[in-house]
Amino acid sequence: MASGKPSHIDCSALLVSTFKKAQKRWRIAYLTIRSVRAMLSLSPAVPNNRRKENESTINNPDIDQTKLTEMVKQKDLVSLNHLGGVEGVATALGTKSKTGITGHDQEVSWRREMYGSNTYHKPPPKGFMFFVVDAFKDTTILILLVCAALALGFGIKQHSIKEGWYEGGSIFVAVFLVIAVSALSNYRQETQFHKLSKISNNIKVDVLRNERRLQISIFDIVVGDIVFLKIGDQIPADGLFLDGHSLEVDESSMTGESDHVAVNTKENPFLFSGSKIADGYARMLVTSVGMNTAWGEMMSSINGDSDERTPLQARLDKLTSSIGKVGLSVAFIVLSVMLIRYFTGNTKDENGMKEYIGSKTNTDDVLNSVVRIVAAAVTIVVVAIPEGLPLAVTLTLAYSMKRMMADQAMVRKLSACETMGSATVICTDKTGTLTLNQMKVTKFWLGQELIEEDSDEVIAPSILELLHQGVSLNTTGSVYKSASGSALEFSGSPTEKAILSWAVSELGMDMEKLKQNCTILHVETFNSEKKRSGVSIRKMADNTVHVHWKGAAEMILAMCSGYYESSGTVKPMDEDERSQNREDNPRPGAKKAVEICKAAGVSVKMITGDNIFTAKAIATECGILELNDHVDNEEVVEGVVFRNYTDEQRMEKVDKIRVMARSSPFDKLLMVQCLRQRGHVVAVTGDGTNDAPALKEADIGLSMGIQGTEVAKESSDIVILDDNFTSVATVLRWGRCVYNNIQKFIQFQLTVNVAALVINFIAAVSAGEVPLTAVQLLWVNLIMDTLGALALATERPTDELMEMSPVGRTEPLITNIMWRNLLAQAFYQIAILLTLQFAGESIFNVSAGVNDTLIFNTFVLCQVFNEFNARNMQKQNVFKGIHRNHFVSGYHRNHYCSSGGDGGVPKEVCKYREAELVAVGDLHCDCRCFMATRLVCETHTSFRQTTLQLPQKPKRNISKSSAFYVL
């Protein structure tokens, strides 16, 4: 400079130079200390510090965990640089970036003991006494308790304690039993939710241990682990960005900011537990787990509340409230009429004398009579309010959730059980749901040439090298080969695993060698919008740069102007040569499941990101499209076409669309919104991050439990544990069963209430007394609300349910058929019981007390038969399938059915259990049903019926000679 003064740039350079020198000195001192420690640890003079060959070498960590935790939480880049950056932290934690931790049990246990486990201290589930206290808050219960106290007090005063406690004490016992049953049911529901939350939070993650990529539970992650992250993953712990490309993180769960945060080595290497990967991929070094993370601090203060009211429960609450108002109105009328009759001298005592004679009547007698009248009015209220409805819903949902879990469906939200039964449309993803998502390269085309055998010999070396580069470097997958030389292990997405396996076995690719000979310059990660991923590399040998792309066929072909032949010749490409292809096969049973849904009146629509040709082929094979040459243009559309429709066009065409190809997340969301506006109850299945908006918008979101991302699972109501569309049809079946069982109990319960209400009202107004007392009706309700609800709530799904039309949004809870059954049964009971009330003494020549007992017993028997009538609301044969429900029939042995035969014999249906029969072995009968200890063989008409004796302890295998099979 002319002035001789240093410029701003000169000062910056000086500072950087000074900082680098200080950093180098610090590193030299650090390495010296580490070396001394290592030598001391190997010294024979200290035998206690000798280490086993496979034992961790970090029992004296060189980093303070508290400071490290705070550094990550506060994104303190300066402190991180002082520690030597991410590599310095990894070294201090005893982690090698290329191999990870050793992964031995002793080391993992030590790390968990030293740094903590990756679990959160959540408040424990509510105890039984909490629900007992909560039950006492019910208004009806309080009224009954007051009534019981009055009855007990006046009863003892009037009849002495020896006989006067009967009525009041009985009411107390009945109320306490109702409270106990209700509290126990709610407590079990709370426990069930607690167990389900543990299962839903048990996420699987990929980690690097001892050079091997392993999949472990999120709870098994320890400080020092290297975790692989990709789009859609939820970050399992706090950590530092080790390496990766184009990583963007959604930290809205932590910060509330919706903008994605770029994460890289230099400016922002900090990653927080609970955040989600929005784009890119990376490897993360775990620095804090469990309660030491920022997410852990938040989770510990959250108390999960499972007291949500489902839509059906809300409707039941409204129904109960309406009936309660009717009951209060009737009770007030009864109270007024009976008080007027008493104080006007129109009532008589047991001796036929007037009960009230003005001032001549004893005050105690007046009080006793008023209490009796009030008790009768309260009885009317008790009769009118169907307290058992919420309990029945709870029992039904709890039972159904448990059974659905066995059928590979984990319910995350209680409302989904019943809402699924109302579904009219299912919008399903293709990959992994309708298809297997298990890829294998079956055909390899190079240009226009099909390469079938000896690929590495037919293809020119220069082309083979390009293929090796494109497969090994443009991927997030990996190849692991153990030192023992066992079979190779491939990791990554199903597509990447298939391509890597093919390239290694068929093309002779050496992935590690390629990585050493090439430098990656830039990576474009795959997402649903770009539908392609790319990588630019520099070859170290000649310093040339190559760019490789892979992705959807039409996206890649659109970028190409020519293609290679196997000889290495380049030929130009025209539009006619831009062919389309497909790679995924339908799941076995997917077509059958689609047929079941369509037969049930539920429309199935496939929404996929694949090209339109693949979408048509898969939809046809699965039965979504008809198997013919002509497909209506309105049935299959692309996402861009659908989104460019006007609002009126979309609403007009949305019902006709069966397949939407090349759809974006916005297109899926738009489809769901349009269907809901049309009045449909929409279920959506999906597994990717791009499915999350549609899963949230839908009435029922169903995510895939194996291939599904954590973002998709969190956005869903039900998790399909086996990723199979057949399980979606099973969930639909269970949803209808839940709704139908609740309707059965409503019909049963309201019949009891209507009959008792009318009988007591007529008797009270006409005769001044009620034939059914509060104690009697409380005990009837107690039995009916528990055992009755249990019997009807545990009815299993039947084939008839899938033959009915879907309920939808507008169908009333109490249908016309239910009203018909309810009123007919109630009228029958009222006629019988009123006949006994007014003429029973003369008909049977019995006293008034005996006649009251006769009325009560007849009332109870009516409800027993009424429960059988409620099992089927439409068909006359109400006993069909009763032996399958042991809560009704008492017969509770399990019947296991399977199918064998000689291959040409059609499958039969076991008469002891309606179930699809599975072909097992080559036995000589179609169906074998286990009943008690005997094997009943219901054979085809061409075989004779045989009965075989089972062994005492059945074996778990298939034996051709013994001709039996045990599940």
Side-chain angles (χ1 to χ4, degrees):
M1 297 290 177
S3 62
K5 295 181 179 180
S7 67
H8 176 71
I9 297 177
D10 292 332
C11 292
S12 300
L14 181 62
L15 287 171
V16 172
S17 177
T18 304
F19 177 76
K20 287 185 176 178
K21 289 180 180 179
Q23 191 177 38
K24 287 181 180 178
R25 290 171 185 163
W26 184 90
R27 286 185 176 175
I28 292 171
Y30 171 78
L31 291 174
T32 303
I33 295 172
R34 288 283 293 174
S35 300
V36 172
R37 284 187 176 180
M39 288 187 290
L40 288 175
S41 66
L42 297 173
S43 174
V46 190
N48 291 335
N49 289 341
R50 289 183 178 176
R51 306 186 188 277
K52 296 179 182 178
E53 185 177 350
N54 64 346
E55 193 173 340
S56 172
T57 59
I58 59 164
N59 286 354
N60 294 311
D62 297 322
I63 194 167
D64 184 83
Q65 174 64 28
T66 304
K67 292 182 179 179
L68 180 61
T69 300
E70 291 302 316
M71 179 191 73
V72 175
K73 288 181 182 178
Q74 297 173 11
K75 294 189 175 183
D76 189 349
L77 195 59
V78 175
S79 298
L80 178 62
N81 290 331
H82 285 167
L83 292 173
V86 179
E87 287 291 343
V89 174
T91 303
L93 291 174
T95 302
K96 296 180 181 179
S97 61
K98 298 296 183 183
T99 62
I101 64 175
T102 62
H104 296 300
D105 293 340
Q106 290 179 344
E107 179 179 356
V108 172
S109 299
W110 180 87
R111 288 178 181 271
R112 188 176 291 115
E113 183 180 349
M114 175 65 70
Y115 300 112
S117 64
N118 198 31
T119 55
Y120 305 125
H121 301 320
K122 295 183 179 180
K126 299 169 185 174
F128 176 73
M129 290 307 300
F130 172 86
F131 297 103
V132 172
V133 174
D134 189 63
F136 276 102
K137 299 176 183 178
D138 185 83
T139 305
T140 305
I141 295 296
L142 294 176
I143 293 174
L144 290 173
L145 290 174
V146 172
C147 182
L150 292 173
L152 183 62
F154 287 109
I156 292 174
K157 181 180 179 182
Q158 187 174 4
H159 302 289
S160 76
I161 192 172
K162 187 176 181 180
E163 296 181 358
W165 67 271
Y166 291 157
E167 185 168 352
S170 299
I171 296 176
F172 270 121
V173 173
V175 170
F176 289 145
L177 282 176
V178 170
I179 291 172
V181 171
S182 178
L184 180 62
S185 176
N186 290 330
Y187 172 69
R188 292 188 64 182
Q189 180 184 330
E190 172 79 5
T191 306
Q192 181 76 3
F193 268 107
H194 188 66
K195 291 179 180 178
L196 289 177
S197 66
K198 284 185 177 180
I199 296 174
S200 62
N201 292 333
N202 189 12
I203 302 167
K204 299 295 182 181
V205 294
D206 286 350
V207 299
L208 182 66
R209 290 182 177 177
N210 200 22
E211 299 185 67
R212 188 178 182 184
R213 185 166 174 171
L214 303 172
Q215 191 174 73
I216 65 172
S217 168
I218 187 177
F219 304 130
D220 294 333
I221 290 176
V222 294
V223 170
D225 262 326
I226 294 177
V227 179
F228 293 86
L229 301 173
K230 62 182 183 300
I231 294 179
D233 285 351
Q234 179 174 306
I235 300 176
D238 285 2
L240 298 170
F241 177 89
L242 195 59
D243 53 48
H245 295 280
S246 308
L247 189 67
E248 291 190 357
V249 177
D250 177 8
E251 295 183 351
S252 58
S253 60
M254 299 293 299
T255 64
E257 299 292 335
S258 59
D259 293 337
H260 295 163
V261 178
V263 180
N264 49 53
T265 306
K266 295 182 180 179
E267 290 137 8
N268 178 31
F270 304 101
L271 294 164
F272 295 124
S273 173
S275 302
K276 300 175 181 66
I277 306 300
D279 200 2
Y281 62 91
R283 294 194 308 157
M284 177 187 78
L285 173 67
V286 176
T287 58
S288 304
V289 293
M291 296 304 298
N292 293 325
T293 64
W295 182 256
E297 291 179 359
M298 285 197 344
M299 290 296 292
S300 62
S301 62
I302 297 174
N303 184 12
D305 188 5
S306 62
D307 294 335
E308 60 172 322
R309 305 302 287 173
T310 69
L312 182 57
Q313 284 179 317
R315 294 169 74 183
L316 289 173
D317 291 342
K318 185 177 180 180
L319 175 64
T320 302
S321 176
S322 300
I323 296 175
K325 292 176 182 178
V326 173
L328 285 173
S329 301
V330 174
F332 179 76
I333 295 173
V334 169
L335 179 64
S336 302
V337 170
M338 292 184 71
L339 286 175
I340 293 173
R341 284 173 54 85
Y342 174 76
F343 286 109
T344 56
N346 291 318
T347 59
K348 297 180 180 180
D349 57 18
E350 298 175 354
N351 299 321
M353 305 296 293
K354 287 185 179 181
E355 287 187 298
Y356 182 76
I357 316 174
S359 57
K360 297 180 180 180
T361 307
N362 193 325
T363 304
D364 288 343
D365 293 338
V366 173
L367 289 176
N368 289 334
S369 298
V370 170
V371 168
R372 177 175 51 82
I373 293 172
V374 171
V378 171
T379 301
I380 299 294
V381 177
V382 174
V383 169
I385 298 177
E387 312 90 19
L389 286 181
L391 179 60
V393 173
T394 301
L395 290 173
T396 302
L397 294 179
Y399 173 79
S400 301
M401 286 172 63
K402 183 178 179 181
R403 297 302 307 179
M404 289 171 72
M405 192 73 176
D407 286 339
Q408 304 300 314
M410 186 186 75
V411 179
R412 296 183 70 249
K413 295 183 180 178
L414 198 62
S415 60
C417 288
E418 69 211 29
T419 311
M420 191 63 187
S422 307
T424 57
V425 175
I426 298 176
C427 296
T428 178
D429 188 25
K430 177 188 75 70
T431 305
T433 307
L434 290 173
T435 56
L436 288 169
N437 204 20
Q438 296 175 357
M439 305 294 187
K440 182 180 181 181
V441 177
T442 56
K443 292 184 179 180
F444 168 40
W445 292 79
L446 183 57
Q448 300 292 328
E449 184 180 357
L450 175 62
I451 309 296
E452 295 183 326
E453 295 180 351
D454 301 325
S455 303
D456 54 345
E457 298 179 5
V458 176
I459 303 172
S462 59
I463 307 302
L464 198 61
E465 182 184 10
L466 291 175
L467 287 171
H468 287 177
Q469 291 175 3
V471 173
S472 64
L473 302 178
N474 188 18
T475 182
T476 58
S478 63
V479 180
Y480 170 75
K481 184 176 182 180
S482 64
S484 61
S486 58
L488 296 176
E489 294 181 8
F490 301 94
S491 60
S493 69
T495 305
E496 289 179 329
K497 287 193 290 186
I499 296 175
L500 288 172
S501 175
W502 165 76
V504 170
S505 60
E506 299 294 330
L507 302 183
M509 182 186 74
D510 189 337
M511 194 169 183
E512 288 301 320
K513 184 178 180 180
L514 280 165
K515 287 184 176 181
Q516 294 172 4
N517 296 335
C518 299
T519 301
I520 296 178
L521 302 177
H522 181 69
V523 173
E524 283 287 330
T525 56
F526 183 92
N527 63 35
S528 58
E529 296 179 1
K530 294 181 293 188
K531 296 183 175 65
R532 65 178 185 266
S533 64
V535 61
S536 62
I537 64 168
R538 175 180 283 115
K539 289 178 60 179
M540 296 179 183
D542 55 11
N543 210 34
T544 57
V545 175
H546 296 269
V547 177
H548 295 275
W549 290 96
K550 73 175 180 182
E554 70 275 17
M555 302 299 290
I556 303 300
L557 291 172
M559 304 167 65
C560 299
S561 58
Y563 62 90
Y564 281 106
E565 291 186 330
S566 60
S567 61
T569 306
V570 180
K571 287 197 171 183
M573 180 185 296
D574 56 32
E575 289 298 326
D576 294 335
E577 292 172 325
R578 300 180 192 274
S579 60
Q580 308 288 342
N581 69 328
R582 135 180 168 224
E583 40 179 78
D584 200 359
N585 296 319
R587 282 183 177 272
K591 184 175 182 180
K592 179 66 175 177
V594 171
E595 291 175 354
I596 291 173
C597 293
K598 292 170 71 175
V602 179
S603 174
V604 180
K605 301 179 187 293
M606 188 176 82
I607 307 176
T608 178
D610 279 342
N611 63 71
I612 196 166
F613 301 100
T614 300
K616 281 183 179 179
I618 294 295
T620 302
E621 289 191 33
C622 292
I624 296 175
L625 292 177
E626 299 298 329
L627 188 61
N628 53 43
D629 296 331
H630 175 72
V631 176
D632 193 342
N633 291 332
E634 294 185 342
E635 293 182 351
V636 181
V637 298
E638 289 189 331
V640 64
V641 176
F642 182 74
R643 82 177 74 112
N644 288 333
Y645 285 148
T646 64
D647 293 340
E648 292 77 14
Q649 288 176 323
R650 271 195 296 269
M651 295 301 291
E652 179 186 351
K653 297 176 182 290
V654 69
D655 281 335
K656 299 178 183 178
I657 295 174
R658 298 189 191 180
V659 176
M660 185 163 69
R662 283 296 173 231
S663 59
S664 68
F666 174 76
D667 298 328
K668 294 183 180 182
L669 178 63
L670 193 60
M671 169 72 83
V672 174
Q673 290 173 338
C674 291
L675 289 169
R676 294 191 70 190
Q677 290 174 17
R678 292 279 294 175
H680 290 287
V681 176
V682 185
V684 170
T685 70
D687 58 0
T689 305
N690 57 324
D691 297 318
L695 289 169
K696 276 186 172 293
E697 179 68 20
D699 295 283
I700 316 103
L702 302 104
S703 65
M704 302 298 111
I706 301 174
Q707 296 294 336
T709 63
E710 295 312 312
V711 176
K713 293 177 187 177
E714 283 193 1
S715 303
S716 65
D717 306 304
I718 297 175
V719 178
I720 304 299
L721 300 178
D722 59 357
D723 287 17
N724 200 332
F725 188 80
T726 305
S727 297
V728 176
T730 303
V731 172
L732 176 64
R733 185 183 179 101
W734 269 109
R736 291 194 172 188
C737 179
V738 169
Y739 194 89
N740 188 252
N741 286 349
I742 292 174
Q743 283 187 315
K744 291 176 182 178
F745 184 78
I746 290 173
Q747 176 183 306
F748 166 70
Q749 178 73 66
L750 292 186
T751 302
V752 177
N753 289 22
V754 169
L757 183 64
V758 172
I759 293 165
N760 273 8
F761 174 75
I762 294 176
V765 172
S766 61
E769 58 183 14
V770 291
L772 300 173
T773 65
V775 175
Q776 292 173 335
L777 291 174
L778 277 172
W779 281 99
V780 169
N781 275 351
L782 176 64
I783 301 301
M784 299 303 173
D785 292 351
T786 53
L787 300 182
L790 196 62
L792 293 175
T794 54
E795 290 281 357
R796 300 293 300 272
T798 61
D799 293 334
E800 288 82 1
L801 290 173
M802 301 302 284
E803 296 172 0
M804 300 167 58
S805 300
V807 175
R809 293 189 183 278
T810 58
E811 187 76 15
L813 182 60
I814 305 178
T815 64
N816 292 334
I817 294 176
M818 292 173 65
W819 279 119
R820 179 200 67 187
N821 297 341
L822 189 157
L823 294 176
Q825 182 65 221
F827 178 79
Y828 164 77
Q829 293 185 17
I830 291 168
I832 295 295
L833 295 175
L834 286 181
T835 300
L836 293 176
Q837 169 68 19
F838 294 108
E841 296 180 29
S842 59
I843 293 175
F844 297 103
N845 193 24
V846 294
S847 63
V850 174
N851 191 55
D852 288 341
T853 302
L854 184 62
I855 292 173
F856 176 69
N857 288 335
T858 304
F859 179 75
V860 171
L861 288 174
C862 284
Q863 308 324 317
V864 172
F865 288 102
N866 182 31
E867 176 141 8
F868 285 95
N869 288 329
R871 290 193 68 246
N872 199 315
M873 294 183 289
Q874 298 185 32
K875 296 189 176 182
Q876 293 181 350
N877 185 7
V878 296
F879 298 102
K880 182 180 179 181
I882 195 170
H883 58 276
R884 294 199 308 270
N885 189 339
H886 60 264
F887 286 104
V888 175
S889 64
Y891 178 73
H892 60 276
R893 291 190 181 274
N894 294 325
H895 306 294
Y896 299 100
C897 307
S898 59
S899 177
D902 58 2
V905 180
K907 292 181 179 180
E908 297 285 326
V909 177
C910 174
K911 71 176 183 179
Y912 298 106
R913 178 184 178 191
E914 295 179 2
E916 184 178 354
L917 307 179
V918 183
V920 181
D922 54 354
L923 308 181
H924 300 293
C925 61
D926 292 322
C927 179
R928 285 148 297 147
C929 310
F930 288 90
M931 184 176 69
T933 59
R934 298 189 68 79
L935 173 64
V936 180
C937 181
E938 298 278 316
T939 66
H940 190 254
T941 54
S942 60
F943 295 94
R944 68 178 185 271
Q945 183 173 2
T946 59
T947 303
L948 305 177
Q949 183 70 36
L950 285 181
Q952 293 296 325
K953 294 183 178 180
K955 299 179 180 179
R956 289 183 173 271
N957 61 6
I958 302 174
S959 173
K960 296 181 181 179
S961 59
S962 58
F964 69 85
Y965 169 64
V966 179
L967 295 179

